[in-house]
Amino acid sequence: MTSMARRIPSQIFRSSLKTLNRAHIGSLYHNPRTFSTSLPRLANRAIVYTSTGNPSEVLSARTYPSLGPPPQGHVNVRLLCAPVNPSDVNVIEGVYPVRPSLESLVGSTESVFVGGNEGLGVVQRVGNGVDGLKEGDWVVFAKAQSGTWASERCVNGSDVVRIPDMEGGGRIGEVQGATLTVNPPTAYNMLKEFVDLKAGDWVLQNGANSAVGQAVIQIAAHRGLRTINFVRDRDNMDELRIQLHGLGADQIFTYESLHSKDTISHIKSLTSSAGGIRLLLNCVSGSTTTSLARLLGANATIVSYGAMSKQPLSLPTSLFIFKNLSCKGYWQQRWYMERGRTEREELMRELVGLIGLRKLREPEHEIVRIGGGLSDGEATQLVQGVMDRIEKGHYGKKILFKFDTVDS
Amino acid sequence: MTSMARRIPSQIFRSSLKTLNRAHIGSLYHNPRTFSTSLPRLANRAIVYTSTGNPSEVLSARTYPSLGPPPQGHVNVRLLCAPVNPSDVNVIEGVYPVRPSLESLVGSTESVFVGGNEGLGVVQRVGNGVDGLKEGDWVVFAKAQSGTWASERCVNGSDVVRIPDMEGGGRIGEVQGATLTVNPPTAYNMLKEFVDLKAGDWVLQNGANSAVGQAVIQIAAHRGLRTINFVRDRDNMDELRIQLHGLGADQIFTYESLHSKDTISHIKSLTSSAGGIRLLLNCVSGSTTTSLARLLGANATIVSYGAMSKQPLSLPTSLFIFKNLSCKGYWQQRWYMERGRTEREELMRELVGLIGLRKLREPEHEIVRIGGGLSDGEATQLVQGVMDRIEKGHYGKKILFKFDTVDS
């Protein structure tokens, strides 16, 4: 990626991040308690870093005083749960086009980056001049790189979006709320915005057991679309098949099976009566994706939202010319930047609706609890270990941090 | 390319080629002169092949009796000039998705493929029931793989399109007419149909000295668009620079200069004030095109119409996701298949208009004359030699065949 590629989106974000930064600086200066020498009883732990690099080295857990009353227009939010998304790792490594700003958290003058882009919060305290939010509301964060790996955040009221209740009342699950901003909307919009699909049409995807892939399977099934799902071969392949079929997957194959002419003929005969596959959702790239592209029908679209192989997307030019292939990218963050709050709220209502209908389950996950009894040093070790395991691909599921409040 | 990729377009064409085939078979059976034992004075030479393969091996020149009167609905067309396009080579090799049908030419029962997709014809004789065409009209061929490497063809009147006169009267040049169907429309439409470009905008292209590339430069210059043109380094680079600047090229670089940070900074600073480059026209693919893609601005489109490097188009997925890159293909033949005759005629009027304004010159070319005095054996050797030189890249310009009528 050129330096320009990185610069453009980060410039777009700079102004919003400055605002966010001022919010925190604001809460520091507006709250006389932060100048007290006695720390408040409940403290705020955050996973922070001061320079980009390997997450298993640069991250540390630090405890700050608990937030005071929020200033005008702001709310204090207690984080219930926050996932570690692949992009979070890229942000910390410094290779992502959106970068957080340095912040000075309440009770400290040192500037840090707070990890985490996405999370589920509950409104703890509402400042003057904030409309539409009340104590106890569940919210997600409207801005990129909100720094969600923390017990508490003080943010502008317009920088959170209230999660609607399900039809007939009741809340969605904590894990669903914590992962509502990035993965399900990506799946939902990729299935909606590129190809006009109707019931019976086939969709092809790789990385099908990723959180986005799982959401794609479920949303597609709900719409009567049929999915062909590719995953890496693994020891517990039968288990994975059962799980993905349970979500509504029609066909499941491993990348290895792309070497088999029988598989290829089978897929072609399955899909030809429906006019061929017109949408490939790609989060892998590299040579297996080249092979998948050859399975597509005329006028198909490849939508890329990741490159887990760390290889480029490489395609024969003939597919573009003679099969009229189109290639596009999808980035949920751009969607949020380009659309207004109303559209975002509508999207969230759609997704909460699907959850309410039990058509969209929480992703396979594991919660890593950052216990209140741990010292910052112990918590740092715990977090670094998690990041190291993620980097080595030792988890096959979504990891979420859950912070206990820290007794100080 | 999968077998399906080839099959789909050829299926689309099969019916039209069958029609064309019937036309020739028709002219065979409707014309009693073809059963005469004395050959007519002027004969019809064609470059034919009976099985696909290396053009410098499988092509041969054969002389057939001159056409008799055209049957109902048909016209006899005398070919004035017909180019050898890169796709003609692929067709003969059997690697192109559109294939000609086998035909039995007048005076012979052997089935052959006739080479050539594009050419300029003059109407020699008009059959009953043909409207809008008269003797002496200049025409191009409406159907793909019309078999234009021949002295004469008998075709359905609806399978040719009359070339309009220039504003104020007068005909376009022979070479312009012979190359009017493939290259200039490709350039014109690629600049029109993908990105909404306005005067001052930048367009990037590789293979800039190809016939399409030359047309892109001129049509862009006429619209006030600025072009950045990449070519292979060569001995007569200064000459090529003068030629391309003469056509209206703004910037000319070699692929080698992509290794220079200065060139890259220069291009970025040239184009950034206009919002960055939003269109890349690609007929090369491979690694140099990957480098060119990195020069593009946000929301840019790559349109591919060739792959002269014989390498795939390989791009970092991040360009799709974070710069919102789109990749598409362009195939003039699809445009013709999808649009009606009115749109085709309008396109031709636009191009003839540009030629009349001297805004679109004939491409750099060399005419290979297939002399009437040559025996079929000598003509075969000549044609095979030309194809061999093309394969080895010994021409830097468009080659056109021009047939003398053969004394029999």
Side-chain angles (χ1 to χ4, degrees):
Chain A
M1 199 162 39
T2 64
S3 60
M4 179 173 268
R6 291 187 192 146
R7 206 161 61 239
I8 289 172
S10 65
Q11 279 174 340
I12 293 168
F13 271 85
R14 195 149 297 148
S15 57
S16 62
L17 288 163
K18 268 183 188 160
T19 312
L20 187 59
N21 219 2
R22 271 201 301 275
H24 291 282
I25 294 167
S27 66
L28 173 67
Y29 290 108
H30 284 84
N31 177 10
R33 289 177 64 190
T34 60
F35 295 101
S36 150
T37 49
S38 67
L39 288 174
R41 196 182 61 80
L42 292 176
N44 180 16
R45 182 126 67 185
I47 308 302
V48 304
Y49 55 110
T50 52
S51 61
T52 57
N54 183 337
S56 65
E57 292 170 6
V58 301
L59 289 179
S60 66
R62 299 203 196 170
T63 299
Y64 299 89
S66 192
L67 301 173
Q72 172 81 18
H74 287 68
V75 291
N76 286 356
V77 174
R78 164 107 180 85
L79 267 298
L80 295 179
C81 215
V84 183
N85 286 320
S87 58
D88 292 322
V89 173
N90 300 141
V91 169
I92 299 162
E93 290 169 338
V95 297
Y96 201 70
V98 183
R99 298 174 189 210
S101 293
L102 282 166
E103 308 184 47
S104 301
L105 296 189
V106 169
S108 164
T109 52
E110 193 196 8
S111 290
V112 294
F113 301 108
V114 184
N117 171 56
E118 184 186 26
L120 169 66
V122 58
V123 174
Q124 277 195 309
R125 208 160 165 185
V126 181
N128 290 330
V130 175
D131 290 331
L133 288 173
K134 62 181 188 302
E135 211 174 300
D137 279 349
W138 276 21
V139 293
V140 294
F141 295 81
K143 291 199 164 169
Q145 306 307 325
S146 285
T148 54
W149 295 353
S151 316
E152 302 171 335
R153 301 298 330 233
C154 172
V155 294
N156 196 300
S158 64
D159 292 342
V160 293
V161 186
R162 192 181 166 278
I163 300 178
D165 288 340
M166 292 190 290
E167 191 90 10
R171 276 174 168 157
I172 63 175
E174 262 193 35
V175 171
Q176 287 167 325
T179 57
L180 194 63
T181 312
V182 177
N183 293 330
T186 298
Y188 186 88
N189 286 334
M190 289 195 305
L191 286 172
K192 183 183 170 196
E193 305 214 334
F194 294 95
V195 176
D196 185 23
L197 297 166
K198 53 186 193 309
D201 282 346
W202 288 93
V203 174
L204 181 61
Q205 70 165 335
N206 54 26
N209 59 322
S210 70
V212 172
Q214 293 174 43
V216 163
I217 290 169
Q218 296 172 85
I219 296 166
H222 178 62
R223 287 181 52 190
L225 308 173
R226 295 179 287 180
T227 53
I228 298 174
N229 300 280
F230 275 81
V231 295
R232 273 178 301 181
D233 200 9
R234 63 197 69 213
D235 291 341
N236 62 344
M237 192 62 211
D238 288 343
E239 217 173 281
L240 183 62
R241 278 182 196 281
I242 291 165
Q243 184 216 331
L244 297 184
H245 279 306
L247 296 177
D250 287 271
Q251 300 285 327
I252 301 164
F253 299 98
T254 65
Y255 302 119
E256 288 71 16
S257 71
L258 284 166
H259 299 300
S260 148
K261 282 187 182 168
D262 286 351
T263 305
I264 289 168
S265 315
H266 178 55
I267 291 174
K268 289 202 170 176
S269 74
L270 268 178
T271 58
S272 62
S273 65
I277 306 165
R278 287 195 300 140
L279 181 62
L280 163 56
L281 304 179
N282 164 44
C283 65
V284 175
S285 294
S287 62
T288 58
T289 306
T290 308
S291 301
L292 292 181
R294 294 178 196 273
L295 296 173
L296 294 171
N299 309 313
T301 301
I302 299 180
V303 178
S304 292
Y305 65 101
M308 290 184 336
S309 68
K310 299 187 180 174
Q311 296 298 310
L313 183 59
S314 194
L315 300 165
T317 313
S318 56
L319 292 182
F320 288 101
I321 299 175
F322 301 125
K323 286 183 92 173
N324 203 25
L325 180 71
S326 295
C327 271
K328 308 213 166 190
Y330 187 78
W331 191 27
Q332 185 56 35
Q333 192 51 48
R334 175 179 299 103
W335 194 95
Y336 287 137
M337 290 190 282
E338 289 175 352
R339 312 295 173 112
R341 192 176 178 95
T342 311
E343 274 186 273
R344 179 193 272 258
E345 286 173 346
E346 173 56 28
L347 173 61
M348 196 183 278
R349 267 195 301 277
E350 290 282 341
L351 295 170
V352 169
L354 289 173
I355 292 168
L357 294 169
R358 305 180 66 81
K359 299 295 181 187
L360 187 58
R361 303 182 207 168
E362 60 189 20
E364 292 289 300
H365 66 274
E366 183 176 323
I367 290 175
V368 173
R369 190 159 214 125
I370 319 264
L374 297 179
S375 70
D376 279 352
E378 289 165 337
T380 296
Q381 274 199 315
L382 173 61
V383 168
Q384 290 186 350
V386 166
M387 300 310 285
D388 186 48
R389 285 173 65 82
I390 287 176
E391 179 60 24
K392 289 179 177 152
H394 286 183
Y395 296 107
K397 49 185 78 165
K398 181 75 73 187
I399 301 300
L400 299 102
F401 289 134
K402 187 169 174 66
F403 293 87
D404 287 350
T405 48
V406 182
D407 287 327
S408 57
Chain B
M1 200 162 40
T2 63
S3 62
M4 180 174 265
R6 289 188 193 145
R7 206 161 61 239
I8 289 170
S10 66
Q11 279 173 339
I12 293 167
F13 270 85
R14 195 149 296 151
S15 56
S16 61
L17 287 164
K18 269 183 187 160
T19 312
L20 188 58
N21 219 0
R22 273 201 299 275
H24 290 283
I25 295 167
S27 66
L28 173 66
Y29 290 108
H30 283 84
N31 177 9
R33 289 177 64 190
T34 59
F35 296 100
S36 151
T37 50
S38 68
L39 289 173
R41 198 182 62 80
L42 292 176
N44 180 16
R45 182 125 69 187
I47 309 301
V48 305
Y49 56 109
T50 53
S51 61
T52 56
N54 183 336
S56 65
E57 293 169 5
V58 301
L59 290 179
S60 67
R62 298 202 194 171
T63 299
Y64 300 89
S66 192
L67 301 174
Q72 173 79 20
H74 286 67
V75 291
N76 287 355
V77 174
R78 163 106 182 86
L79 267 297
L80 296 178
C81 215
V84 183
N85 286 319
S87 58
D88 293 321
V89 174
N90 301 141
V91 170
I92 299 163
E93 290 170 339
V95 298
Y96 201 69
V98 183
R99 299 176 188 207
S101 292
L102 282 166
E103 307 184 48
S104 301
L105 296 189
V106 169
S108 165
T109 53
E110 193 196 8
S111 290
V112 295
F113 302 108
V114 184
N117 170 56
E118 184 186 27
L120 170 66
V122 57
V123 175
Q124 276 195 309
R125 208 160 165 182
V126 180
N128 290 330
V130 174
D131 290 331
L133 287 173
K134 62 180 186 304
E135 212 175 299
D137 279 350
W138 276 22
V139 293
V140 294
F141 294 81
K143 291 199 164 170
Q145 306 307 327
S146 285
T148 53
W149 296 352
S151 315
E152 302 171 333
R153 302 296 333 233
C154 173
V155 294
N156 197 300
S158 65
D159 291 343
V160 292
V161 186
R162 192 181 165 278
I163 301 178
D165 290 338
M166 291 189 291
E167 190 90 10
R171 275 175 168 158
I172 63 173
E174 262 192 35
V175 171
Q176 286 166 326
T179 57
L180 194 62
T181 312
V182 178
N183 293 330
T186 299
Y188 186 87
N189 286 334
M190 289 195 304
L191 286 171
K192 184 183 169 194
E193 304 213 334
F194 294 94
V195 176
D196 185 23
L197 297 166
K198 55 186 191 308
D201 282 346
W202 288 95
V203 174
L204 180 61
Q205 70 166 335
N206 54 25
N209 59 323
S210 71
V212 172
Q214 291 174 43
V216 164
I217 291 169
Q218 296 171 84
I219 295 165
H222 177 63
R223 287 181 52 189
L225 308 173
R226 295 179 287 182
T227 53
I228 298 176
N229 300 281
F230 274 79
V231 295
R232 272 179 301 180
D233 201 7
R234 60 197 70 212
D235 290 340
N236 62 344
M237 192 62 210
D238 287 344
E239 219 172 280
L240 182 62
R241 278 182 197 282
I242 291 166
Q243 184 217 331
L244 297 184
H245 279 307
L247 295 177
D250 286 270
Q251 300 284 327
I252 301 163
F253 298 99
T254 65
Y255 302 118
E256 288 71 18
S257 70
L258 284 166
H259 300 299
S260 148
K261 283 188 180 166
D262 286 351
T263 305
I264 288 167
S265 316
H266 178 55
I267 291 173
K268 289 204 169 172
S269 74
L270 268 177
T271 58
S272 62
S273 64
I277 305 166
R278 287 194 299 142
L279 181 63
L280 164 57
L281 303 178
N282 164 44
C283 65
V284 175
S285 294
S287 63
T288 58
T289 307
T290 309
S291 302
L292 292 182
R294 294 178 196 273
L295 296 173
L296 294 171
N299 309 313
T301 301
I302 299 181
V303 178
S304 292
Y305 65 101
M308 291 183 337
S309 69
K310 299 186 179 173
Q311 297 297 310
L313 183 59
S314 193
L315 299 165
T317 313
S318 57
L319 291 182
F320 288 101
I321 300 174
F322 300 125
K323 286 184 93 172
N324 202 24
L325 181 70
S326 295
C327 270
K328 308 211 166 192
Y330 188 78
W331 191 26
Q332 185 56 34
Q333 193 51 47
R334 177 180 297 103
W335 194 95
Y336 287 137
M337 290 189 283
E338 290 175 350
R339 312 294 174 112
R341 193 176 178 94
T342 311
E343 273 187 273
R344 180 193 271 258
E345 286 173 345
E346 173 57 28
L347 173 61
M348 196 184 280
R349 268 194 300 277
E350 291 281 342
L351 295 170
V352 169
L354 289 172
I355 292 169
L357 294 169
R358 303 180 66 80
K359 298 296 181 189
L360 187 58
R361 302 182 208 169
E362 61 190 19
E364 292 288 299
H365 66 274
E366 184 176 322
I367 290 175
V368 174
R369 190 158 214 126
I370 318 266
L374 297 179
S375 70
D376 279 354
E378 290 164 336
T380 296
Q381 275 200 314
L382 175 61
V383 169
Q384 290 188 349
V386 166
M387 300 311 286
D388 187 47
R389 285 173 65 83
I390 287 175
E391 180 59 25
K392 289 180 177 152
H394 287 182
Y395 298 105
K397 50 185 75 164
K398 182 72 74 185
I399 301 300
L400 298 104
F401 290 134
K402 188 169 174 64
F403 293 87
D404 287 350
T405 48
V406 182
D407 286 327
S408 58

